[in-house]
mmCIF file of all heavy atoms in Angstrom:
data_model
loop_
_atom_site.group_PDB
_atom_site.id
_atom_site.type_symbol
_atom_site.label_atom_id
_atom_site.label_comp_id
_atom_site.label_asym_id
_atom_site.label_seq_id
_atom_site.Cartn_x
_atom_site.Cartn_y
_atom_site.Cartn_z
ATOM 1 N N GLY A 607 -48.138 -22.228 -11.195
ATOM 2 C CA GLY A 607 -48.365 -20.906 -11.761
ATOM 3 C C GLY A 607 -48.880 -19.902 -10.760
ATOM 4 O O GLY A 607 -49.466 -18.885 -11.142
ATOM 5 N N SER A 608 -48.681 -20.169 -9.453
ATOM 6 C CA SER A 608 -49.121 -19.197 -8.451
ATOM 7 C C SER A 608 -48.055 -19.023 -7.371
ATOM 8 O O SER A 608 -47.436 -19.993 -6.918
ATOM 9 C CB SER A 608 -50.448 -19.622 -7.810
ATOM 10 O OG SER A 608 -50.289 -20.781 -7.021
ATOM 11 N N SER A 609 -47.846 -17.773 -6.991
ATOM 12 C CA SER A 609 -46.882 -17.409 -5.960
ATOM 13 C C SER A 609 -47.336 -16.080 -5.384
ATOM 14 O O SER A 609 -48.271 -15.448 -5.908
ATOM 15 C CB SER A 609 -45.476 -17.289 -6.568
ATOM 16 O OG SER A 609 -44.525 -16.835 -5.620
ATOM 17 N N VAL A 610 -46.711 -15.648 -4.291
ATOM 18 C CA VAL A 610 -47.019 -14.326 -3.742
ATOM 19 C C VAL A 610 -45.730 -13.563 -3.472
ATOM 20 O O VAL A 610 -44.704 -14.148 -3.117
ATOM 21 C CB VAL A 610 -47.847 -14.412 -2.433
ATOM 22 C CG1 VAL A 610 -49.217 -15.002 -2.711
ATOM 23 C CG2 VAL A 610 -47.122 -15.204 -1.348
ATOM 24 N N ILE A 611 -45.780 -12.252 -3.676
ATOM 25 C CA ILE A 611 -44.721 -11.352 -3.242
ATOM 26 C C ILE A 611 -45.358 -10.411 -2.225
ATOM 27 O O ILE A 611 -46.364 -9.751 -2.531
ATOM 28 C CB ILE A 611 -44.070 -10.592 -4.424
ATOM 29 C CG1 ILE A 611 -43.118 -9.497 -3.906
ATOM 30 C CG2 ILE A 611 -45.103 -9.990 -5.372
ATOM 31 C CD1 ILE A 611 -41.936 -10.007 -3.145
ATOM 32 N N LEU A 612 -44.807 -10.384 -1.028
ATOM 33 C CA LEU A 612 -45.378 -9.620 0.084
ATOM 34 C C LEU A 612 -44.417 -8.510 0.503
ATOM 35 O O LEU A 612 -43.191 -8.712 0.507
ATOM 36 C CB LEU A 612 -45.637 -10.543 1.279
ATOM 37 C CG LEU A 612 -46.387 -11.852 1.003
ATOM 38 C CD1 LEU A 612 -46.442 -12.711 2.260
ATOM 39 C CD2 LEU A 612 -47.791 -11.570 0.470
ATOM 40 N N TYR A 613 -44.955 -7.364 0.872
ATOM 41 C CA TYR A 613 -44.145 -6.213 1.308
ATOM 42 C C TYR A 613 -44.593 -5.745 2.686
ATOM 43 O O TYR A 613 -45.763 -5.889 3.061
ATOM 44 C CB TYR A 613 -44.281 -5.052 0.328
ATOM 45 C CG TYR A 613 -43.751 -5.330 -1.056
ATOM 46 C CD1 TYR A 613 -44.622 -5.712 -2.079
ATOM 47 C CD2 TYR A 613 -42.394 -5.224 -1.350
ATOM 48 C CE1 TYR A 613 -44.147 -5.968 -3.358
ATOM 49 C CE2 TYR A 613 -41.907 -5.474 -2.625
ATOM 50 C CZ TYR A 613 -42.787 -5.846 -3.624
ATOM 51 O OH TYR A 613 -42.306 -6.103 -4.881
ATOM 52 N N SER A 614 -43.667 -5.146 3.405
ATOM 53 C CA SER A 614 -43.991 -4.608 4.726
ATOM 54 C C SER A 614 -44.776 -3.318 4.630
ATOM 55 O O SER A 614 -45.442 -2.919 5.589
ATOM 56 C CB SER A 614 -42.703 -4.362 5.526
ATOM 57 O OG SER A 614 -41.881 -3.401 4.857
ATOM 58 N N ASP A 615 -44.718 -2.662 3.468
ATOM 59 C CA ASP A 615 -45.375 -1.357 3.323
ATOM 60 C C ASP A 615 -45.715 -1.104 1.858
ATOM 61 O O ASP A 615 -44.984 -1.543 0.961
ATOM 62 C CB ASP A 615 -44.452 -0.251 3.843
ATOM 63 C CG ASP A 615 -45.175 1.065 4.056
ATOM 64 O OD1 ASP A 615 -45.373 1.795 3.055
ATOM 65 O OD2 ASP A 615 -45.546 1.365 5.201
ATOM 66 N N LYS A 616 -46.794 -0.352 1.624
ATOM 67 C CA LYS A 616 -47.222 -0.052 0.257
ATOM 68 C C LYS A 616 -46.204 0.791 -0.506
ATOM 69 O O LYS A 616 -46.204 0.790 -1.739
ATOM 70 C CB LYS A 616 -48.569 0.676 0.278
ATOM 71 C CG LYS A 616 -49.741 -0.210 0.655
ATOM 72 C CD LYS A 616 -51.050 0.587 0.666
ATOM 73 C CE LYS A 616 -52.216 -0.291 1.101
ATOM 74 N NZ LYS A 616 -53.481 0.487 1.184
ATOM 75 N N LYS A 617 -45.348 1.519 0.209
ATOM 76 C CA LYS A 617 -44.371 2.364 -0.483
ATOM 77 C C LYS A 617 -43.425 1.525 -1.346
ATOM 78 O O LYS A 617 -42.905 1.999 -2.346
ATOM 79 C CB LYS A 617 -43.570 3.207 0.502
ATOM 80 C CG LYS A 617 -42.612 2.425 1.405
ATOM 81 C CD LYS A 617 -41.880 3.352 2.363
ATOM 82 C CE LYS A 617 -40.901 2.581 3.247
ATOM 83 N NZ LYS A 617 -40.200 3.470 4.201
ATOM 84 N N PHE A 618 -43.206 0.263 -0.968
ATOM 85 C CA PHE A 618 -42.378 -0.627 -1.787
ATOM 86 C C PHE A 618 -43.208 -1.225 -2.922
ATOM 87 O O PHE A 618 -42.757 -1.287 -4.070
ATOM 88 C CB PHE A 618 -41.772 -1.736 -0.921
ATOM 89 C CG PHE A 618 -40.872 -1.234 0.169
ATOM 90 C CD1 PHE A 618 -41.152 -1.510 1.495
ATOM 91 C CD2 PHE A 618 -39.754 -0.469 -0.127
ATOM 92 C CE1 PHE A 618 -40.337 -1.048 2.512
ATOM 93 C CE2 PHE A 618 -38.916 -0.001 0.882
ATOM 94 C CZ PHE A 618 -39.211 -0.285 2.205
ATOM 95 N N ARG A 619 -44.419 -1.677 -2.598
ATOM 96 C CA ARG A 619 -45.268 -2.265 -3.637
ATOM 97 C C ARG A 619 -45.577 -1.249 -4.733
ATOM 98 O O ARG A 619 -45.691 -1.613 -5.909
ATOM 99 C CB ARG A 619 -46.557 -2.808 -3.044
ATOM 100 C CG ARG A 619 -47.432 -3.535 -4.072
ATOM 101 C CD ARG A 619 -48.672 -4.158 -3.475
ATOM 102 N NE ARG A 619 -49.612 -3.166 -2.966
ATOM 103 C CZ ARG A 619 -50.823 -3.469 -2.474
ATOM 104 N NH1 ARG A 619 -51.225 -4.727 -2.426
ATOM 105 N NH2 ARG A 619 -51.617 -2.511 -2.019
ATOM 106 N N ASN A 620 -45.718 0.022 -4.361
ATOM 107 C CA ASN A 620 -46.003 1.054 -5.366
ATOM 108 C C ASN A 620 -44.937 1.088 -6.456
ATOM 109 O O ASN A 620 -45.231 1.399 -7.613
ATOM 110 C CB ASN A 620 -46.095 2.433 -4.702
ATOM 111 C CG ASN A 620 -47.410 2.629 -3.978
ATOM 112 O OD1 ASN A 620 -48.377 1.914 -4.229
ATOM 113 N ND2 ASN A 620 -47.459 3.586 -3.066
ATOM 114 N N HIS A 621 -43.687 0.766 -6.099
ATOM 115 C CA HIS A 621 -42.605 0.785 -7.090
ATOM 116 C C HIS A 621 -42.542 -0.520 -7.890
ATOM 117 O O HIS A 621 -41.815 -0.608 -8.879
ATOM 118 C CB HIS A 621 -41.263 1.058 -6.405
ATOM 119 C CG HIS A 621 -41.113 2.489 -5.978
ATOM 120 N ND1 HIS A 621 -41.617 2.961 -4.791
ATOM 121 C CD2 HIS A 621 -40.550 3.558 -6.603
ATOM 122 C CE1 HIS A 621 -41.354 4.245 -4.685
ATOM 123 N NE2 HIS A 621 -40.714 4.632 -5.767
ATOM 124 N N GLN A 622 -43.311 -1.515 -7.456
ATOM 125 C CA GLN A 622 -43.452 -2.736 -8.260
ATOM 126 C C GLN A 622 -44.384 -2.475 -9.436
ATOM 127 O O GLN A 622 -44.179 -3.001 -10.534
ATOM 128 C CB GLN A 622 -44.012 -3.869 -7.407
ATOM 129 C CG GLN A 622 -44.363 -5.120 -8.216
ATOM 130 C CD GLN A 622 -45.037 -6.184 -7.379
ATOM 131 O OE1 GLN A 622 -44.477 -6.639 -6.388
ATOM 132 N NE2 GLN A 622 -46.243 -6.592 -7.770
ATOM 133 N N PHE A 623 -45.396 -1.656 -9.206
ATOM 134 C CA PHE A 623 -46.391 -1.384 -10.238
ATOM 135 C C PHE A 623 -45.762 -0.682 -11.437
ATOM 136 O O PHE A 623 -44.815 0.084 -11.303
ATOM 137 C CB PHE A 623 -47.508 -0.495 -9.693
ATOM 138 C CG PHE A 623 -48.290 -1.089 -8.557
ATOM 139 C CD1 PHE A 623 -48.989 -0.265 -7.669
ATOM 140 C CD2 PHE A 623 -48.340 -2.458 -8.357
ATOM 141 C CE1 PHE A 623 -49.723 -0.797 -6.621
ATOM 142 C CE2 PHE A 623 -49.066 -3.010 -7.311
ATOM 143 C CZ PHE A 623 -49.748 -2.178 -6.436
ATOM 144 N N THR A 624 -46.330 -0.957 -12.613
ATOM 145 C CA THR A 624 -45.946 -0.252 -13.836
ATOM 146 C C THR A 624 -47.128 0.592 -14.293
ATOM 147 O O THR A 624 -48.237 0.079 -14.444
ATOM 148 C CB THR A 624 -45.569 -1.247 -14.957
ATOM 149 O OG1 THR A 624 -44.474 -2.059 -14.511
ATOM 150 C CG2 THR A 624 -45.138 -0.502 -16.212
ATOM 151 N N VAL A 625 -46.883 1.877 -14.482
ATOM 152 C CA VAL A 625 -47.950 2.794 -14.869
ATOM 153 C C VAL A 625 -47.543 3.561 -16.122
ATOM 154 O O VAL A 625 -46.432 4.100 -16.193
ATOM 155 C CB VAL A 625 -48.269 3.792 -13.731
ATOM 156 C CG1 VAL A 625 -49.327 4.787 -14.181
ATOM 157 C CG2 VAL A 625 -48.730 3.044 -12.481
ATOM 158 N N THR A 626 -48.403 3.564 -17.127
ATOM 159 C CA THR A 626 -48.196 4.335 -18.354
ATOM 160 C C THR A 626 -49.343 5.333 -18.466
ATOM 161 O O THR A 626 -50.508 4.940 -18.532
ATOM 162 C CB THR A 626 -48.180 3.407 -19.585
ATOM 163 O OG1 THR A 626 -47.133 2.437 -19.420
ATOM 164 C CG2 THR A 626 -47.932 4.190 -20.865
ATOM 165 N N THR A 627 -49.009 6.635 -18.462
ATOM 166 C CA THR A 627 -50.056 7.660 -18.380
ATOM 167 C C THR A 627 -50.405 8.324 -19.714
ATOM 168 O O THR A 627 -51.454 8.965 -19.824
ATOM 169 C CB THR A 627 -49.634 8.763 -17.397
ATOM 170 O OG1 THR A 627 -48.404 9.349 -17.850
ATOM 171 C CG2 THR A 627 -49.438 8.195 -16.003
ATOM 172 N N ASP A 628 -49.548 8.179 -20.734
ATOM 173 C CA ASP A 628 -49.741 8.950 -21.973
ATOM 174 C C ASP A 628 -50.061 8.100 -23.197
ATOM 175 O O ASP A 628 -49.900 8.527 -24.333
ATOM 176 C CB ASP A 628 -48.490 9.796 -22.262
ATOM 177 C CG ASP A 628 -48.190 10.765 -21.131
ATOM 178 O OD1 ASP A 628 -49.162 11.298 -20.566
ATOM 179 O OD2 ASP A 628 -47.008 10.967 -20.802
ATOM 180 N N TRP A 629 -50.497 6.881 -22.982
ATOM 181 C CA TRP A 629 -50.827 5.977 -24.092
ATOM 182 C C TRP A 629 -52.191 6.367 -24.676
ATOM 183 O O TRP A 629 -53.136 6.652 -23.932
ATOM 184 C CB TRP A 629 -50.878 4.548 -23.543
ATOM 185 C CG TRP A 629 -51.205 3.482 -24.522
ATOM 186 C CD1 TRP A 629 -50.754 3.365 -25.799
ATOM 187 C CD2 TRP A 629 -52.061 2.351 -24.290
ATOM 188 N NE1 TRP A 629 -51.255 2.236 -26.387
ATOM 189 C CE2 TRP A 629 -52.071 1.586 -25.487
ATOM 190 C CE3 TRP A 629 -52.815 1.914 -23.208
ATOM 191 C CZ2 TRP A 629 -52.805 0.415 -25.617
ATOM 192 C CZ3 TRP A 629 -53.542 0.741 -23.332
ATOM 193 C CH2 TRP A 629 -53.534 0.000 -24.530
ATOM 194 N N PRO A 630 -52.310 6.408 -26.009
ATOM 195 C CA PRO A 630 -53.609 6.740 -26.617
ATOM 196 C C PRO A 630 -54.733 5.797 -26.198
ATOM 197 O O PRO A 630 -55.913 6.164 -26.247
ATOM 198 C CB PRO A 630 -53.334 6.638 -28.121
ATOM 199 C CG PRO A 630 -51.878 6.930 -28.251
ATOM 200 C CD PRO A 630 -51.241 6.328 -27.035
ATOM 201 N N GLY A 631 -54.359 4.601 -25.777
ATOM 202 C CA GLY A 631 -55.370 3.636 -25.338
ATOM 203 C C GLY A 631 -55.905 3.922 -23.952
ATOM 204 O O GLY A 631 -56.771 3.187 -23.468
ATOM 205 N N GLY A 632 -55.386 4.952 -23.305
ATOM 206 C CA GLY A 632 -55.847 5.302 -21.968
ATOM 207 C C GLY A 632 -54.744 5.135 -20.945
ATOM 208 O O GLY A 632 -53.665 4.631 -21.241
ATOM 209 N N VAL A 633 -54.998 5.555 -19.735
ATOM 210 C CA VAL A 633 -54.039 5.349 -18.642
ATOM 211 C C VAL A 633 -53.993 3.856 -18.338
ATOM 212 O O VAL A 633 -55.034 3.214 -18.162
ATOM 213 C CB VAL A 633 -54.455 6.142 -17.387
ATOM 214 C CG1 VAL A 633 -53.521 5.835 -16.227
ATOM 215 C CG2 VAL A 633 -54.467 7.640 -17.689
ATOM 216 N N TYR A 634 -52.781 3.327 -18.285
ATOM 217 C CA TYR A 634 -52.612 1.873 -18.136
ATOM 218 C C TYR A 634 -51.787 1.593 -16.884
ATOM 219 O O TYR A 634 -50.687 2.129 -16.714
ATOM 220 C CB TYR A 634 -51.911 1.299 -19.370
ATOM 221 C CG TYR A 634 -51.687 -0.197 -19.345
ATOM 222 C CD1 TYR A 634 -52.664 -1.065 -19.812
ATOM 223 C CD2 TYR A 634 -50.505 -0.735 -18.857
ATOM 224 C CE1 TYR A 634 -52.459 -2.437 -19.788
ATOM 225 C CE2 TYR A 634 -50.282 -2.104 -18.831
ATOM 226 C CZ TYR A 634 -51.271 -2.955 -19.297
ATOM 227 O OH TYR A 634 -51.075 -4.311 -19.271
#
Side-chain angles (χ1 to χ4, degrees):
S608 68
S609 175
V610 295
I611 171 64
L612 311 174
Y613 296 98
S614 61
D615 195 279
K616 288 180 182 177
K617 68 181 181 181
F618 299 120
R619 185 176 66 175
N620 283 342
H621 286 84
Q622 172 185 302
F623 298 157
T624 301
V625 177
T626 302
T627 59
D628 301 323
W629 180 41
V633 175
Y634 181 88

